[in-house]
Amino acid sequence: MKYLFGNWKMNMSLAEIKAFTRQSKVKLPSNIYVGVAVPSVYVGACEKLHKNMLLGVQNVSEYQKGAYTGEISANMLRDLDLDFCIVGHSERRGYFNETNTQVSEKIKRLQEYDILPILCVGETLKQYEKQETKQVLSSQLAGNLDNVDKFKQIIIAYEPVWAIGTGKVASEEIVAEICDYIKQEMHKIMGQNYPAIVLYGGSVSPENSLSLAKLPSVDGFLVGGASQNAEKFMSIAKNMIQGGEK
Ligand code: PGA
């Protein structure tokens, strides 16, 4: 099974969503899951889009309910019938100072309502240059998966911060090695039989997705910029299918 998720971030307008919905109506084989994480206020506007792909959002509150102005709870996401939610994106960790403990609480809230968490992990450029990637990932995974339900699926997205939105995609060698490493770590934390699903994210495009999709340790992609354009997004999906066939 292959997985392709888009992350629109704080982009798109109602008109652009309509066009995306129209242009993304492509028949895909049943061995690929495709979804988009939309801005929460646009969930209603994505009703038609939800008929042909999974729908999710980009953040959730770590709290159950109550006086938390501006927050959105996992229970609310369940009410809207959402399939998944991104947690721990490097932009949330970086710009909003989200800690490993907060990320882990968010995963627990999502699990309570059976919403699939897509957990983003990745090293900064400085950490990469200091060859600290594996160390950083191990500590993020250990902190983020602390006491979560080990019987529920969590998808991991390996997103090197230096590759996000920069056009600098990580080399195939790095992606293959690190996705494999994350799988080993997942097995250590969640149990040997845990179905470790690992995506790569960071400047994935129609041009580079075919060769990345051929890497055996890569189960799919989390795509930012290119997911805002239905044609590009669907062409990545097609490359994944072709790449998976090897
Ligand atoms: P990008 O973003 O594809 O634009 O690099 C990836 C992400 O932030 O998930």
Side-chain angles (χ1 to χ4, degrees), residues 14 38 51 174 183 192 218 237:
L14 280 180
V38 306
K51 290 194 176 117
I174 294 178
K183 286 187 179 176
Q192 277 312 315
V218 177

Side-chain angles (χ1 to χ4, degrees), residues 5-7 9 86 89-91 120 157 159-160 163-167 200-205 222-228:
F5 292 98
N7 174 11
K9 309 191 182 184
I86 294 175
H89 191 282
S90 61
E91 285 153 17
C120 301
E159 299 207 306
I164 296 178
T166 57
Y200 167 74
S203 298
V204 174
S205 68
L222 179 58
V223 182
S227 74
Q228 293 166 43

